[in-house]
C-alpha cells in the first residue's frame, strides 16, 4: 500500500541525504557492490537497511552504507564507505590463533570473537578484530595482521571525555610558518588558525578537573569544568594545562596501541604554572614533569612535553636511569626522538619544518636560524669523536641513530623495538650497550633483516662497528 507522507516528513528525509530514486513501488533499492547486508528495520515511515562495506569479501572497519526507503517509495542513502588504497594482499601473516593469544596475554581474558578486517587509512591495513569481555566491559582490539602491533584498542563502554583546545604539534608546524613569534603570550591573530579542538579522553568521571588515567594536572590554580569543556586561548594559563593533559594522554594511548601495557601506565603528574624559566624538567624523585613559561610557554609546544615525557618513560622502565653523562645523553636523545616520533603522526615532513627539527615553536624564542630548532635528530655527529660531555649535545648522536631506525623500519616497528629495548638498559648504560640491546630487540621482534637495518643505523653513527 502506498501512502502520501506528510509534507514535513518528506522535507526532513530529503534534507538528510541525496535522493537517489524517485517514487516507485516497494522494490528493494539498488545498492553498490561489495556490501554485505546486516539488517533491515521497519519504522513508522519506512524501511531501513544497513550494510557492511567489504573489500574482496573482508569487512572494512568503520565502512557502512544504508538505504532508507520511505513509504512513498522514495529512497535516500547514507554512504559511509571508505576508500581502500595501498593494500598489497588479503592474506594474514599473523594467524588468528597468534592474534588471540596476544590479546589474551595483554588483557588477561580470551577474546570471544576474532575476525579479519580491512582498516582504512592512507595505506589500508589488514587486521584481526577481537572482542574480549572484561570486568570493565567489552574491549575491541585491532591487531595488525602483518606486524602484530595493536592498531587500536578501546573499551566499548563509554568513558568520561571532555573537549579541549590545543596546538598540534605546534603553530609553526601546523601553519608551516617559521616567522611566527610569541608576542608575550598574547592571543594574536597569526596564531588563530593553529588552534585545534580535540577530545580529552580518559578523564576521571568523578572529577571536574584534568585528572585522568594517564595525566594528573597539579598546576595552580587548576582549571575545572563541570561540563568538561576546557577551551582557552594561549594567553590563559589553562591552555598549557589542557595541552599537557592531551599530549600525555595521546602518547600513552599510542604506547598501548604498540602493545605495551606497562610503560609509565599511570596518571603522570605535571605542572605548567609557577616555573618562569625558559626550561622544563622531569624530577624523578617525585615523578613529576614541570613545564616552564619563559619565552614561548614550553607547554604550548607538544614537542617539549613529549621530550619530558620521554624522561618519565625511561625512569619508569629503569629506576634511576641516566646515572652517567653517557646514559644521560641516551636519555636526552630518546626524549628528542620521542618528541619527533610523536609529532610524526600529525606533522608533514617539509623543507619549511623538517620532521628532524625538535621544538619548532618553543625555539622561536631563542634561535635566529630557520627552521627554528632547539636540536635536531639528523646531525652529522658521530660516536665517540663528537662527544663533548654535555648530555643534550651528545644526545644528538643517539637521537639520530633512533631516527634512522625509524626511517628504515617505519614508525610502528621502530617504536616497538626502541621501547622494548629500553627495559634492558642499565642506569649507567653506554651507547654501544644500549645499541646492542636495541639490535637484540629488533631481532626477536622482527627477525634478522630488521636487526641488520637497526645495526646499520648505529654503525652510521659510529656507535657500533
Ligand atoms: Ca600560553
Ligand atoms: Ca611516571
Ligand atoms: Ca619556552
Ligand atoms: Ca618538530
Ligand atoms: Zn631532557
Amino acid at each position: 500500500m502506498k501512502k502520501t507522507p506528510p509534507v514535513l516528513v518528506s522535507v526532513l528525509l530529503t534534507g538528510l541525504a541525496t535522493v537517489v530514486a524517485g517514487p516507485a513501488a516497494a522494490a528493494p533499492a539498488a545498492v553498490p557492490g561489495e556490501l554485505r547486508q546486516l539488517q533491515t528495520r521497519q519504522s513508522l515511515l519506512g524501511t531501513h537497511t544497513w550494510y557492511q562495506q567489504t573489500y574482496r569479501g573482508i569487512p572494512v572497519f568503520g565502512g557502512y552504507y544504508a538505504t532508507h526507503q520511505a513509504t512513498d517509495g522514495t529512497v535516500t542513502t547514507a554512504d559511509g564507505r571508505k576508500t581502500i588504497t595501498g593494500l598489497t594482499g588479503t592474506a594474514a601473516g599473523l594467524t588468528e590463533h597468534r592474534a588471540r593469544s596476544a590479546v589474551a596475554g595483554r588483557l588477561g581474558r580470551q577474546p570471544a570473537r576474532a575476525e579479519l578486517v580491512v582498516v582504512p587509512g592512507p595505506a589500508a591495513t589488514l587486521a584481526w578484530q577481537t572482542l574480549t569481555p572484561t570486568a570493565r566491559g567489552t574491549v575491541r582490539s585491532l591487531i595488525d595482521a602483518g606486524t602484530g602491533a595493536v592498531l587500536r584498542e578501546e573499551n566499548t563502554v563509554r568513558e568520561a571525555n571532555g573537549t579541549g583546545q590545543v596546538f598540534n604539534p605546534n603553530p609553526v608546524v601546523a601553519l608551516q610558518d617559521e616567522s611566527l613569534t610569541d608576542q608575550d603570550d598574547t592571543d594574536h591573530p597569526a596564531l588563530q588558525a593553529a588552534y585545534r579542538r580535540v577530545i580529552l579522553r580518559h578523564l576521571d568521571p568523578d572529577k571536574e578537573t584534568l585528572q585522568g588515567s594517564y595525566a594528573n594536572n597539579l598546576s595552580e590554580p587548576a582549571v575545572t569544568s563541570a561540563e568538561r569543556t576546557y577551551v582557552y586561548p594561549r594567553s590563559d594559563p589553562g591552555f598549557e594545562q589542557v595541552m599537557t593533559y592531551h599530549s600525555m594522554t595521546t602518547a600513552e594511548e599510542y604506547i598501548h596501541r604498540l602493545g605495551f601495557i606497562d610503560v609509565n601506565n599511570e596518571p603522570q603528574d605535571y605542572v605548567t604554572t609557577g616555573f618562569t624559566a625558559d626550561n622544563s624538567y622531569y624530577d624523578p624523585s617525585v615523578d613529576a614533569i614541570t613545564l616552564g613559561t619563559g619565552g614561548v610557554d614550553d607547554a604550548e609546544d607538544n614537542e617539549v612535553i613529549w621530550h619530558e615525557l620521554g624522561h618519565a618513560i625511561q625512569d619508569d622502565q629503569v629506576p634511576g636511569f641516566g646515572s652517567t653523562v653517557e646514559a644521560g645523553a641516551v636519555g636526552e636523545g630518546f626524549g628528542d626522538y620521542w618528541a619527533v616520533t610523536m609529532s610524526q603522526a600529525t606533522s608533514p615532513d617539509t623543507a619549511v619544518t623538517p620532521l628532524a627539527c625538535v621544538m619548532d615553536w618553543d625555539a622561536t624564542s631563542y634561535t635566529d636560524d630557520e627552521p627554528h630548532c632547539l636540536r635536531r635528530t639528523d646531525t652529522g655527529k658521530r660516536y665517540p669523536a663528537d662527544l663533548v660531555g654535555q648530555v643534550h649535545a651528545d644526545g644528538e648522536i643517539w637521537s639520530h641513530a633512533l631516527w634512522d631506525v625509524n626511517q628504515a623500519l617505519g614508525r610502528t616497528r621502530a617504536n616497538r623495538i626502541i621501547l622494548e629495548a629500553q627495559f634492558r638498559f642499565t642506569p649507567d648504560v653506554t651507547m654501544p650497550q644500549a645499541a646492542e640491546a636495541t639490535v637484540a630487540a629488533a631481532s626477536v621482534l622482527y627477525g634478522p633483516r630488521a636487526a641488520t637495518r637497526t645495526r646499520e643505523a648505529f654503525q652510521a653513527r659510529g656507535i657500533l662497528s
Side-chain angles (χ1 to χ4, degrees), residues 1-2 23-29 47 69-75:
M1 193 166 64
K2 193 175 158 190
T47 306
Q69 187 152 21
T71 39
D72 73 347
T74 307
V75 176

Side-chain angles (χ1 to χ4, degrees), residues 127-148:
W128 287 104
Q129 173 177 244
T130 59
L131 292 173
T132 311
T134 75
R136 296 182 57 211
T138 299
V139 173
R140 186 207 322 274
S141 313
L142 288 179
I143 312 295
D144 190 314
T147 66

Side-chain angles (χ1 to χ4, degrees), residues 263-269 282 286-289 309 311-313 315-316:
V263 173
N264 205 34
N265 188 37
E266 60 187 12
Q268 176 64 53
D269 287 350
Y282 169 71
V286 291
D287 189 13
I289 287 171
L309 186 62
H311 290 302
I313 287 169
D315 188 69
D316 185 77

Side-chain angles (χ1 to χ4, degrees), residues 250-414:
T250 51
E252 192 61 32
E253 288 177 320
Y254 173 62
I255 289 170
H256 278 243
R257 289 200 301 277
L258 291 176
F260 296 95
I261 55 167
D262 229 354
V263 173
N264 205 34
N265 188 37
E266 60 187 12
Q268 176 64 53
D269 287 350
Y270 71 90
V271 178
T272 61
T273 50
F275 181 56
T276 55
D278 194 355
N279 204 350
S280 294
Y281 58 85
Y282 169 71
D283 183 345
S285 65
V286 291
D287 189 13
I289 287 171
T290 298
L291 295 142
T293 55
V296 167
D297 294 343
D298 281 17
E300 285 191 17
D301 190 331
N302 272 301
E303 293 184 348
V304 182
I305 302 167
W306 285 322
H307 173 96
E308 297 308 330
L309 186 62
H311 290 302
I313 287 169
Q314 274 186 323
D315 188 69
D316 185 77
Q317 293 186 289
V318 179
F321 182 79
S323 62
T324 60
V325 171
E326 191 160 324
V330 168
E332 297 304 335
F334 172 67
D336 283 353
Y337 169 76
W338 189 248
V340 166
T341 192
M342 287 307 300
S343 263
Q344 209 176 358
T346 53
S347 305
D349 190 12
T350 65
V352 179
T353 62
L355 275 178
C357 175
V358 188
M359 307 184 197
D360 325 60
W361 172 224
D362 186 56
T364 59
S365 301
Y366 45 77
T367 58
D368 294 325
D369 291 347
E370 295 181 5
H372 297 282
C373 316
L374 171 60
R375 288 181 293 273
R376 296 186 62 122
T377 61
D378 61 356
T379 69
K381 292 180 186 178
R382 282 174 59 89
Y383 184 92
D386 293 313
L387 291 173
V388 294
Q390 203 283 338
V391 288
H392 299 99
D394 294 351
E396 285 188 313
I397 300 172
W398 187 251
S399 68
H400 188 166
L402 299 186
W403 184 234
D404 279 351
V405 175
N406 179 302
Q407 297 299 288
L409 300 180
R411 182 177 185 243
T412 304
R413 285 182 170 85

Side-chain angles (χ1 to χ4, degrees), residues 101-160:
S101 5
V103 171
R106 277 181 317 101
L107 300 179
R109 305 286 179 99
Q110 280 294 333
R113 273 184 57 195
E115 74 168 334
L116 209 52
V117 297
V118 171
V119 183
T125 318
L126 203 59
W128 287 104
Q129 173 177 244
T130 59
L131 292 173
T132 311
T134 75
R136 296 182 57 211
T138 299
V139 173
R140 186 207 322 274
S141 313
L142 288 179
I143 312 295
D144 190 314
T147 66
V150 184
L151 298 174
R152 185 166 161 158
E153 189 155 88
E154 61 198 355
N155 194 319
T156 53
V157 177
R158 266 188 82 246
E159 289 194 86

Side-chain angles (χ1 to χ4, degrees), residues 186-312:
T186 52
D187 191 27
H188 61 89
L191 297 175
Q192 298 308 306
Y195 286 121
R196 300 282 181 269
R197 288 296 172 97
V198 292
I199 296 169
L200 302 175
R201 288 183 293 265
H202 300 289
L203 285 165
D204 185 333
D206 300 325
K207 300 213 170 111
E208 297 182 355
T209 60
L210 292 175
Q211 299 187 337
S213 305
Y214 308 131
N216 186 37
N217 180 25
L218 298 180
S219 311
E220 289 179 352
V223 291
T224 60
S225 168
E227 299 77 32
R228 299 201 180 90
T229 303
Y230 300 92
V231 177
Y232 312 101
R234 68 183 291 258
S235 51
D236 187 310
F239 183 71
E240 288 78 47
Q241 298 173 42
V242 176
M243 282 278 301
T244 310
Y245 182 91
H246 179 249
S247 163
M248 286 184 178
T249 299
T250 51
E252 192 61 32
E253 288 177 320
Y254 173 62
I255 289 170
H256 278 243
R257 289 200 301 277
L258 291 176
F260 296 95
I261 55 167
D262 229 354
V263 173
N264 205 34
N265 188 37
E266 60 187 12
Q268 176 64 53
D269 287 350
Y270 71 90
V271 178
T272 61
T273 50
F275 181 56
T276 55
D278 194 355
N279 204 350
S280 294
Y281 58 85
Y282 169 71
D283 183 345
S285 65
V286 291
D287 189 13
I289 287 171
T290 298
L291 295 142
T293 55
V296 167
D297 294 343
D298 281 17
E300 285 191 17
D301 190 331
N302 272 301
E303 293 184 348
V304 182
I305 302 167
W306 285 322
H307 173 96
E308 297 308 330
L309 186 62
H311 290 302

